[in-house]
C-alpha cells in the first residue's frame, strides 16, 4: 500500500478537519484521485474526486459546499478540506487513485485501483 490518508480525529459538530494523502514518490501515474468513506456497519461511499490536473471535481451531494478536494502542486499531496462537519460525517476516510487511465472521472469505487489505509473521522454532536 503506497497511499496513506492522515489528518483524521475527533471534532465537534461545526468544526473542520483537513485530510491529507501524499502522492509524491509513488511509482504509478495517477489520472484522478478520490476520497471515499465508510461508516461503521455501512457500505463504503463516494465523497469527492478530482482529475489530476484539477480541471474537474465532483462531490457527493451531502458534502457539497462543505468539503473541498484539492492538490498541492508543490508536493502533489491531495487534500480533503472538511468544514461544518456533522455527526453523519463520522467514518473512516480513504484516498484512492485511478492509475490505469481506463476511466473518466467517476464516483464508482471499482474504477479506483490504488487504495490507501484510512483515517478515522469522528464528529461529536
Amino acid at each position: 500500500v503506497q497511499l496513506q490518508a492522515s489528518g483524521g480525529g475527533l471534532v465537534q459538530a461545526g468544526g473542520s478537519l483537513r485530510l491529507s494523502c501524499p502522492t509524491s514518490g509513488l511509482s504509478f501515474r495517477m489520472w484522478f484521485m478520490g476520497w471515499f468513506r465508510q461508516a461503521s456497519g455501512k457500505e463504503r461511499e463516494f465523497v469527492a474526486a478530482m482529475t489530476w490536473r484539477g480541471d474537474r471535481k465532483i462531490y457527493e451531494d451531502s458534502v457539497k459546499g462543505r468539503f473541498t478536494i484539492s492538490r498541492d502542486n508543490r508536493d502533489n499531496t491531495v487534500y480533503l478540506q472538511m468544514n461544518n462537519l456533522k455527526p453523519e460525517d463520522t467514518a473512516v476516510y480513504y484516498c484512492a487513485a485511478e492509475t490505469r487511465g481506463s476511466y473518466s472521472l467517476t464516483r464508482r469505487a471499482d474504477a479506483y485501483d490504488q487504495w490507501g489505509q484510512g483515517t478515522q473521522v469522528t464528529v461529536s454532536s
Side-chain angles (χ1 to χ4, degrees):
V1 176
Q2 299 189 53
L3 296 175
Q4 178 67 59
S6 64
L10 173 63
V11 64
Q12 289 187 333
S16 298
L17 285 173
R18 188 177 74 163
L19 305 184
S20 301
C21 184
T23 67
S24 180
L26 295 181
S27 61
F28 43 78
R29 177 180 179 178
M30 286 149 285
W31 292 89
F32 52 85
M33 297 288 297
W35 287 94
F36 291 78
R37 65 187 180 186
Q38 187 167 19
S40 180
K42 296 186 177 181
E43 294 185 353
R44 181 175 52 191
E45 67 173 356
F46 169 79
V47 177
M50 63 178 289
T51 56
W52 189 248
R53 294 194 307 173
D55 57 332
R56 289 187 60 207
K57 298 180 181 181
I58 54 176
Y59 296 91
E60 196 268 332
D61 286 346
S62 69
V63 308
K64 284 181 180 177
R66 300 188 298 123
F67 291 12
T68 303
I69 187 171
S70 64
R71 178 173 68 86
D72 188 328
N73 292 331
R74 296 170 297 179
D75 63 4
N76 289 329
T77 296
V78 178
Y79 296 99
L80 184 68
Q81 177 67 43
M82 306 186 295
N83 298 328
N84 191 22
L85 282 160
K86 303 177 180 181
E88 51 264 41
D89 295 320
T90 295
V92 177
Y93 283 71
Y94 300 89
C95 60
E98 202 285 337
T99 68
R100 298 164 295 185
S102 300
Y103 297 87
S104 299
L105 186 63
T106 179
R107 60 189 65 217
R108 288 174 46 190
D110 62 355
Y112 295 79
D113 56 287
Q114 297 292 328
W115 290 82
Q117 295 181 349
T119 185
Q120 175 71 47
V121 171
T122 303
V123 185
S124 63
S125 57

